[in-house]
Amino acid sequence: GIKITTIGGGSSYTPELVEGFIKHYDELPVRELWLVDIEAGKEKLEIVGNLAKRMIEKAGLPIEVHLTLDRRAALENADFVTTQFRVGLLEARAKDERIPMKYGVLGQETNGPGGLFKGLRTIPVILDICKDMEELCPNAWLINFTNPAGMVTEAVLRYSNIKKVVGLCNVPIGMEMGIAKLLDVDHSRIKIDFAGLNHMVYGLDVYVDGESVKDKVIELLTDPNNTSFVKNVKGLGWEPSFIRSLNLLTCPYHNYYYKTKDMIEKDIKKAKEEGTRAEVVLKLEKELFELYKDPNLAIKPPQLEERGGAYYSEAAVRLITSIYTDKGDIQPVNTQNNGAIASIPNDSAVEVSCVITKEGPKPIVIGDLPIAVRGLVQQIKSFERIAAEAAVTGDYDTAVLALTINPLTPSDTIAREIVDEMLEAHKEHLPQF
Ligand code: NAD
Ligand code: G6P
Ligand code: MN
């Protein structure tokens, strides 16, 4: 039977994952699911773990659920390791959001300074997990969901010996589902050719039953109600002349790059009125865990769909299933470029449509990205690489360099000031500095 190990098992998303394993049991017979957390997440792990057990019992499936704080025991002989942890918990995320806002800069968990600092906290932990995997489950696949997923995948490829790594995000699947809804067709009939980076991914074309509907979808993207696709980023709608001439499908995070001023103003206003996203999520999470505690609950509650990562299990379980069954279907994931995108180094991580087999994802060759977006994608890749280097070396100047070259940073001095304040605020979780 298959052994799955989930690091950050106390996450409120775990019931999604369990729902996915239940749905796909015929194709993917999971025998053991090990949910791992740390001391600080012990209570969450208990609550969510017990819900997982009730869900599996209700489904009548022979999947054993193990709850543990012993990561090494959980990793031993695992077939797939999924990671969904948050170093420093939501308190750290709130700082990632609040501090940049003081400087008039984007405060967001995966882009700009927040993305840099989440990466600096996360990368040493994932590299430590990779070392354990080398020893305890060298043949396992690492399916990383932990943000910033692109930078984390880049760091694993560059600084660990684990080659069987795939980074995963729910944005591409969210775009397919959202567009299916806008076009009022079943999601299975929609296909998008994706290329770019995590949270910087473009749809090069979009099809219904194999026929391009790109022109129609481009028009839809001018409506502010049609550009969100995830609960945590509310898009503002594109200028028709911009999106028509760009002639690509944008992801929600592009709002931060092409509507920078408006989005920052909106987020700062929102932070004053209702709190930053981390502060909103803290409340949402409390409500969710109250529901999870109910001994009569044995399904994933629909309230989980208020979280930005909704439907990620769909993406995770279909990826694991396709690797396990050597399916050869096409899925968008973060993997080593290997020549798929000409304007990105071969050894870097990209987010791109891939054929998924037992050897893992094989990226579909795109060639060069359109000239209008090529530079921005390369710039973000440079940011991710230098940020990963700073995370590994703990070098202060490298961290300042990473933030200064980020297109969301207005100046080298502001970059240095933000780095100083954030290094101090997060020092407990940044032992390398
Ligand atoms: P969360 O705050 O609930 O954290 C999940 C669990 O991780 C917690 O129970 C916590 O105790 C645990 N944890 C913290 N440090 C740990 C460590 N060193 N080892 C093991 N466990 C540890 O977070 P969440 O909202 O469930 O999100 C989890 C992660 O997934 C975050 O990194 C988030 O950014 C990411 N995420 C990614 C996507 C995507 O599209 N890739 C979508 C949503 C969330
Ligand atoms: C998004 C993304 C994630 C992001 C998350 C936030 O859609 O794909 O990478 O970090 O959802 O969701 P939250 O509910 O925690 O704000
Ligand atoms: Mn994501």
Side-chain angles (χ1 to χ4, degrees):
I2 302 165
K3 174 172 174 177
I4 311 254
T5 300
T6 298
I7 299 177
S11 163
S12 59
Y13 291 111
T14 294
E16 278 235 352
L17 201 59
V18 172
E19 184 188 66
F21 290 139
I22 291 171
K23 268 198 207 157
H24 292 259
Y25 185 81
D26 286 346
E27 272 183 294
L28 186 75
V30 175
R31 207 37 35 99
E32 293 173 51
L33 173 61
W34 288 68
L35 301 177
V36 190
D37 216 288
I38 52 171
E39 192 60 43
K42 202 173 166 183
E43 205 192 319
K44 279 172 66 178
L45 180 67
E46 280 295 316
I47 296 170
V48 92
N50 287 328
L51 171 58
K53 287 178 186 173
R54 293 196 299 274
M55 289 170 71
I56 287 164
E57 196 187 349
K58 189 180 170 202
L61 294 174
I63 307 175
E64 287 171 26
V65 178
H66 299 261
L67 311 181
T68 183
L69 305 187
D70 184 349
R71 187 171 86 198
R72 290 178 59 85
L75 285 175
E76 190 147 29
N77 298 320
D79 297 295
F80 292 92
V81 177
T82 73
T83 45
Q84 50 178 38
F85 58 89
R86 182 187 298 284
V87 179
L89 312 175
L90 283 169
E91 287 74 39
R93 176 178 176 181
K95 292 177 191 170
D96 284 345
E97 295 167 344
R98 284 264 170 212
I99 295 170
M101 283 182 192
K102 291 205 275 182
Y103 299 84
V105 174
L106 177 72
Q108 208 278 325
E109 78 165 328
T110 64
N111 290 264
L116 170 63
F117 274 79
K118 191 162 172 22
L120 298 181
R121 297 194 299 277
T122 303
I123 287 168
V125 177
I126 197 92
L127 294 179
D128 213 38
I129 291 170
C130 288
K131 279 202 191 118
D132 282 353
M133 285 180 65
E134 262 186 79
E135 193 188 325
L136 299 163
C137 53
N139 297 316
W141 281 94
L142 171 59
I143 313 286
N144 175 63
F145 190 62
T146 302
N147 274 318
M151 195 195 294
V152 169
T153 307
E154 182 78 27
V156 170
L157 288 171
R158 216 165 267 282
Y159 299 107
S160 88
N161 295 318
I162 298 295
K163 293 299 157 227
K164 289 163 88 172
V165 56
V166 189
L168 204 55
C169 174
N170 65 318
V171 160
I173 194 175
M175 286 171 67
E176 286 182 341
M177 286 196 170
I179 287 167
K181 215 169 170 184
L182 292 175
L183 298 175
D184 197 24
V185 299
D186 189 77
H187 145 240
S188 61
R189 295 171 59 196
I190 296 276
K191 191 182 152 292
I192 300 176
D193 296 335
F194 287 103
L197 307 177
N198 181 238
H199 293 190
M200 182 47 69
V201 76
Y202 296 88
L204 304 181
D205 208 337
V206 52
Y207 314 87
V208 177
D209 303 330
E211 209 150 301
S212 176
V213 289
K214 187 171 163 187
D215 293 348
K216 195 170 172 187
V217 172
I218 294 275
E219 287 306 313
L220 286 167
L221 294 178
T222 60
D223 182 334
N225 298 311
N226 293 348
T227 52
S228 300
F229 304 125
V230 287
K231 280 279 154 76
N232 60 307
V233 188
K234 180 105 187 63
L236 297 172
W238 301 124
E239 291 288 345
S241 50
F242 163 64
I243 192 70
R244 277 182 205 139
S245 53
L246 185 71
N247 199 29
L248 295 167
L249 273 60
T250 48
C251 85
Y253 291 89
H254 285 123
N255 279 280
Y256 295 125
Y257 295 89
Y258 298 132
K259 287 188 115 59
T260 311
K261 186 170 173 281
D262 299 346
M263 289 295 282
I264 292 174
E265 279 170 6
K266 176 174 73 84
D267 283 359
I268 289 177
K269 187 164 169 272
K270 234 177 155 180
K272 280 193 187 125
E273 287 166 7
E274 56 183 272
T276 68
R277 180 68 188 165
E279 290 154 8
V280 170
V281 165
L282 261 172
K283 284 182 220 146
L284 239 164
E285 198 179 78
K286 282 213 177 77
E287 287 166 30
L288 274 173
F289 276 83
E290 279 311 307
L291 291 170
Y292 290 0
K293 274 185 199 164
D294 178 354
N296 296 313
L297 182 79
I299 54 157
K300 175 194 87 176
Q303 286 89 336
L304 187 53
E305 287 168 19
E306 292 309 309
R307 291 297 303 277
Y311 304 116
Y312 107 81
S313 77
E314 197 63 37
V317 178
R318 76 178 185 180
L319 172 63
I320 295 172
T321 303
S322 291
I323 294 174
Y324 180 72
T325 63
D326 198 23
K327 194 176 271 178
D329 61 343
I330 294 172
Q331 300 182 23
V333 297
N334 290 266
T335 188
Q336 194 158 28
N337 184 29
N338 286 332
I341 303 178
S343 25
I344 297 290
N346 287 342
D347 58 353
S348 271
V350 290
E351 189 166 283
V352 61
S353 297
C354 295
V355 178
I356 314 291
T357 70
K358 65 178 184 323
E359 265 95 54
K362 286 198 184 62
I364 294 169
V365 177
I366 302 297
D368 263 332
L369 288 170
I371 191 70
V373 303
R374 195 180 300 165
L376 178 58
V377 172
Q378 288 178 328
Q379 192 64 14
I380 294 298
K381 180 43 66 187
S382 298
F383 163 70
E384 288 180 353
R385 267 181 75 164
I386 296 170
E389 186 188 329
V392 169
T393 58
D395 184 64
Y396 171 82
D397 292 347
T398 308
V400 174
L401 176 64
L403 191 54
T404 304
I405 67 159
N406 188 292
L408 298 171
T409 306
S411 85
D412 60 342
T413 302
I414 292 179
R416 198 260 307 145
E417 287 170 355
I418 293 177
V419 166
D420 285 343
E421 185 168 349
M422 290 180 80
L423 278 177
E424 181 61 29
H426 289 300
K427 66 172 178 234
E428 186 193 341
H429 301 291
L430 295 172
Q432 76 272 43
F433 279 90

